[in-house]
Amino acid sequence: MRKIILTLLVIPAISASAQDTARYKGMTVNLDEHVVKAKRIGFDVNGFIRRVEEDTTFYRAFKNLRIVGFTADNDIRITDKKGGKTIASLVSRTQQHMQNGCRSMQVISEKTTGNFYDRKGDYNYYTAELYANLFFTKGTVCGDESGPAKGSLARHRSQLKQLIFNPGKPITGVPVVGSKVAVFDRNLMRYYDFSVTSGTFAGTDCYVFGAVMKKNLNSIDRAEIVYDELITWFSKETMEIVGRRYSLSYKTLIFDFNVKMNVQMTKLDDLLLPAVITYDGTWNVPFKKRETAVFTARFSEFRN
């Protein structure tokens, strides 16, 4: 009798965790039981994945930082190769002000350690310079950036912005890895496990799209892709992105990198904006020393 009761208790648990799959443009997508139930009452899985693939709201959210005032808490730390010891850092609070379509930045407080700046007051580290280009404003800037990026650093900035703002899409002008970041490319899909599940992010009920590198890929197949994982949370109510987590890595004899990022979104009226960005990464590129850094950017007190 005891064995029969135990069996009855186990059967519901197994059926509750059962999964289903869907197809999208040659992609097999695993669905959890919550999405399966939603699918049965009208949730369009293919339409949702198409929305993920074609999404531009994430990119626009970062562009929106150029048209609003805000307060930013900036924490940038350059560490040793193992990521344990901080060798240079900046902790600051800044405010962006808008007037007549032009933006300027005020430094409220700032503290640095190590050789964060050189003798001329310029950034001593590539990560810091890129961070400043993304989130700091020097002088008064009207409008937005336009025209093709000129110069090596400008091109790298543009490519990094594509990587951050539009993950999963190919990056033009980047040799070797530019096409390897396109997780929706038919030639790359086979290297990933895709899923649509139900979850929460910062208290918001979400549909979660995941693209995770398959386990036990051989070295040849591993060299075909850059993203280890790309996870995005979409609000079930508005279908807007509320969070994203992604990690990417690649290694050759010439260069290598390993980067993890997390982004949490917020809103000002109808504008989608980044609220928190965390970065943990190491880069080793030709003609530069290996650079390992972590940073956190927190944006608040948004103002039209």
Side-chain angles (χ1 to χ4, degrees), residues 139-188:
T140 300
V141 179
C142 299
D144 203 351
E145 299 171 342
S146 60
K150 297 180 180 179
S152 175
L153 182 59
R155 285 195 300 271
H156 290 163
R157 289 170 179 163
S158 177
Q159 292 157 359
L160 181 63
K161 288 176 184 178
Q162 291 182 60
L163 199 62
I164 294 174
F165 301 153
N166 208 13
K169 303 293 178 62
I171 302 175
T172 57
V174 181
V176 184
V177 300
S179 61
K180 298 179 186 291
V181 298
V183 299
F184 287 97
D185 185 281
R186 288 181 178 273
N187 295 321
L188 302 185

Side-chain angles (χ1 to χ4, degrees), residues 22-29 46 184-190 192 194:
R23 301 285 294 176
Y24 175 75
K25 294 183 179 180
M27 173 195 300
T28 300
V29 184
N46 283 344
F184 287 97
D185 185 281
R186 288 181 178 273
N187 295 321
L188 302 185
M189 285 181 184
R190 57 196 171 114
Y192 290 95
F194 295 95

Side-chain angles (χ1 to χ4, degrees), residues 18-22 29-33 35-36 39 45 195-197:
Q19 288 193 335
D20 198 353
T21 59
V29 184
N30 293 314
L31 313 176
D32 72 1
E33 65 271 19
V35 175
V36 172
K39 181 183 176 185
V45 175
S195 63
V196 177
T197 59

Side-chain angles (χ1 to χ4, degrees), residues 226-262:
V226 168
Y227 278 98
D228 300 326
E229 70 169 3
L230 176 59
I231 313 295
T232 308
W233 287 261
F234 288 81
S235 165
K236 286 184 179 180
E237 182 178 354
T238 65
M239 282 300 173
E240 291 179 317
I241 292 179
V242 296
R244 177 165 270 165
R245 181 179 78 231
Y246 41 114
S247 62
L248 53 156
S249 60
Y250 202 76
K251 186 174 184 178
T252 71
L253 294 175
I254 302 175
F255 68 92
D256 65 84
F257 56 83
N258 191 325
V259 171
K260 296 178 176 63
M261 293 192 67
N262 294 272

Side-chain angles (χ1 to χ4, degrees), residues 212-224:
V212 179
M213 178 181 66
K214 289 182 179 293
K215 296 179 180 179
N216 303 320
L217 290 182
N218 60 46
S219 58
I220 296 175
D221 289 341
R222 179 61 184 87
E224 293 300 314

Side-chain angles (χ1 to χ4, degrees), residues 2-251:
R2 185 178 180 184
K3 290 183 178 180
I4 294 174
I5 293 173
L6 289 174
T7 301
L8 291 174
L9 290 173
V10 169
I11 290 175
I14 294 173
S15 61
S17 63
Q19 288 193 335
D20 198 353
T21 59
R23 301 285 294 176
Y24 175 75
K25 294 183 179 180
M27 173 195 300
T28 300
V29 184
N30 293 314
L31 313 176
D32 72 1
E33 65 271 19
H34 302 288
V35 175
V36 172
K37 291 178 181 178
K39 181 183 176 185
R40 288 170 182 165
I41 60 175
F43 176 59
D44 183 358
V45 175
N46 283 344
F48 172 72
I49 300 173
R50 187 179 305 111
R51 186 185 187 96
V52 176
E53 182 181 12
E54 298 174 355
D55 178 77
T56 60
T57 60
F58 193 71
Y59 171 75
R60 288 203 305 270
F62 284 87
K63 298 277 281 186
N64 288 339
L65 284 176
R66 303 296 179 94
I67 61 173
V68 298
F70 59 81
T71 299
D73 290 292
N74 314 284
D75 188 334
I76 310 169
R77 302 177 188 272
I78 311 299
T79 69
D80 59 13
K81 293 180 180 180
K82 296 182 180 180
K85 182 180 179 181
T86 299
I87 58 178
S89 69
L90 174 144
V91 177
S92 73
R93 168 166 280 203
T94 57
Q95 287 186 340
Q96 178 166 288
H97 302 286
M98 299 296 301
Q99 186 173 9
N100 299 324
C102 300
R103 66 184 186 276
S104 60
M105 189 185 78
Q106 177 186 4
V107 179
I108 305 301
S109 64
E110 178 179 297
K111 181 180 179 180
T112 63
T113 64
N115 62 341
F116 194 84
Y117 294 114
D118 64 19
R119 293 180 179 179
K120 296 180 180 179
D122 296 326
Y123 296 104
N124 233 336
Y125 295 92
Y126 189 60
T127 304
E129 189 168 2
L130 288 168
Y131 183 100
N133 180 260
L134 292 171
F135 304 122
F136 293 163
T137 299
K138 188 174 183 180
T140 300
V141 179
C142 299
D144 203 351
E145 299 171 342
S146 60
K150 297 180 180 179
S152 175
L153 182 59
R155 285 195 300 271
H156 290 163
R157 289 170 179 163
S158 177
Q159 292 157 359
L160 181 63
K161 288 176 184 178
Q162 291 182 60
L163 199 62
I164 294 174
F165 301 153
N166 208 13
K169 303 293 178 62
I171 302 175
T172 57
V174 181
V176 184
V177 300
S179 61
K180 298 179 186 291
V181 298
V183 299
F184 287 97
D185 185 281
R186 288 181 178 273
N187 295 321
L188 302 185
M189 285 181 184
R190 57 196 171 114
Y191 301 122
Y192 290 95
D193 290 322
F194 295 95
S195 63
V196 177
T197 59
S198 182
T200 58
F201 187 93
T204 301
D205 199 15
C206 297
Y207 287 118
V208 188
F209 176 80
V212 179
M213 178 181 66
K214 289 182 179 293
K215 296 179 180 179
N216 303 320
L217 290 182
N218 60 46
S219 58
I220 296 175
D221 289 341
R222 179 61 184 87
E224 293 300 314
I225 59 174
V226 168
Y227 278 98
D228 300 326
E229 70 169 3
L230 176 59
I231 313 295
T232 308
W233 287 261
F234 288 81
S235 165
K236 286 184 179 180
E237 182 178 354
T238 65
M239 282 300 173
E240 291 179 317
I241 292 179
V242 296
R244 177 165 270 165
R245 181 179 78 231
Y246 41 114
S247 62
L248 53 156
S249 60
Y250 202 76
K251 186 174 184 178

